[in-house]
Amino acid sequence: MNITVIGLGYLGTTHAVAMAQLGHDVIGIEPNAARVADLEAGRLPFYEPGLQDALTAAIGSARLSFATAHGESSKTAAVHFLCVGTPQSSDSNKADTSYLYSAVEALIPVLSTDAVIAGKSTVPVGTAAELAEHASKLAGHPVHLAWNPEFLREGTALQDSLAPDRIVLGVTDEHSENVLREFYAPITATGTPLLTTDLPTAELVKVAANSFLATKISFINAVAEVAEAAGADAVRLAEAIGLDERIGSKFLRNGVGYGGGCLPKDVRAFIARAEDLGVSSAADFLHDVEAINARRRERVVTLAQQTLGGVSGKRILILGAAFKPDTDDLRESAALDIAKQLDDLGAKVVVHDPMALPALVRQHPQWAGDQDVFAAASGAELVILATEWRQYRELDPFELGTKVGAKNLIDGRNLLDIARWQSAGWHVDALGRNIKNG
Ligand code: UDX
């Protein structure tokens, strides 16, 4: 099918590449000329495993092209996917939907009467219906607008797009449903469930899913607080409760908490929308979810102060800058939150990351350490593991111990083999556990 993908951020770029790989003919539309030039040259503007090769292949197959604005070819598209950003507003917790409105307005002149507009961006419930009304008014006829939320995770974005757990379609007319069912046939043919529903339910599915995931993480982090006070081990506890199929072991890793471009923003947007709808108490618990998340980062700072007897003037190495491994995304990263708090207290903070150092140099050059982790560790009196990159799991504590000024470790992700680090002479703390140091 001929389609356009409007907005080439993380979501749009991945969707465009993945759908071209599935055999559709895709035009990616993005007003940022530099980004379009990069993509046309086959350069992926962010790090995502497997996506660079897939982009090169899609361009090579001539199924994928890019433009800064719609042209004649947009008129033949059967589906226009809206993938623009819906960032948090600068003056409130609400999502800013203005890019969606601009995208729809730019689309109207090339929108054929049969074409379907399929929104993928994460939006406050009610946005799709308003957008449909706005578009229909501008077009002078009812437009086909559907909502098709995206659940891809950074680090596994391509695989999540090609083989999602489910496809959700919010539709108001049969034509949109038929077109989108046909569009996704290569995926549903492999057994992926496709659920159809109305617009508000489809919109809510996404924020509900992300709020649930954030709640699950904060739940285990709250248990970690109790475990610390009670002399228990939250990691072992999570293993035990995770074996209950009703609970499940995923998203039950306690640590410095959730970050990224989605979970924090979606939790806040859910709270804001519930307030708007007059049901704010329904989302009250999410304030606690946020507070628990913030406390875990503060806990690391407290542990650092206790370990070093105050952090002012002390050199501290933070392992990891990205909000999670296999991405170079720094948005709402727990690692950088901790870096800032320690910096504010006068510590000399050095941050290392296997992939995100270029992004860190652009945004926080004062913290950027050497690309070589052993060089970055030179003279550090404390090492804090904040992002669970595989490279860190494999780090040799004996070798690292020869570089640092003092062998103190806080494992903020419960990633490391504590006995091994201790046998190399390290003093170890880890969140949610009660580590005995000899
Ligand atoms: C999330 C959703 O998972 C995805 O479905 C949606 O489309 C976009 O938002 P993503 O932002 O890529 O994806 O990150 P995710 O894998 O959900 O992790 C979010 C954060 O939670 C990370 O900071 C991660 O380190 C943290 N996390 C995750 C934990 O602290 N503990 C866990 O057990 C799991």
Side-chain angles (χ1 to χ4, degrees), residues 258-307:
Y258 63 82
C262 292
L263 261 53
K265 171 178 84 94
D266 290 353
V267 165
R268 287 183 212 121
F270 196 134
I271 294 172
R273 194 66 185 130
E275 274 167 21
D276 280 354
L277 292 167
V279 288
S280 59
S281 45
D284 271 352
F285 73 99
L286 289 174
H287 290 292
D288 282 333
V289 167
E290 288 194 294
I292 294 163
N293 202 48
R295 281 207 299 274
R296 289 286 78 191
R297 297 159 184 202
E298 287 158 17
R299 170 76 181 153
V300 171
V301 175
T302 306
L303 280 175
Q305 285 174 304
Q306 283 169 1
T307 306

Side-chain angles (χ1 to χ4, degrees), residues 127-141:
T127 305
E130 284 173 20
L131 211 54
E133 200 185 317
H134 184 67
S136 300
K137 238 182 236 160
L138 290 178
H141 59 82

Side-chain angles (χ1 to χ4, degrees), residues 150-155 160 166 206 210 213 217 220-221 249-263 266 323-325 332 388 413:
E150 179 58 56
F151 304 99
L152 63 81
R153 292 161 297 175
E154 297 187 15
D160 287 350
R166 73 301 206 188
K206 178 60 192 282
N210 274 353
L213 293 172
I217 296 167
I220 199 64
N221 280 335
S249 60
K250 289 183 181 156
F251 271 67
L252 217 48
R253 281 180 285 114
N254 93 79
V256 290
Y258 63 82
C262 292
L263 261 53
D266 290 353
F323 82 97
K324 69 174 196 181
E332 306 233 14
E388 64 275 39
R413 292 286 186 182

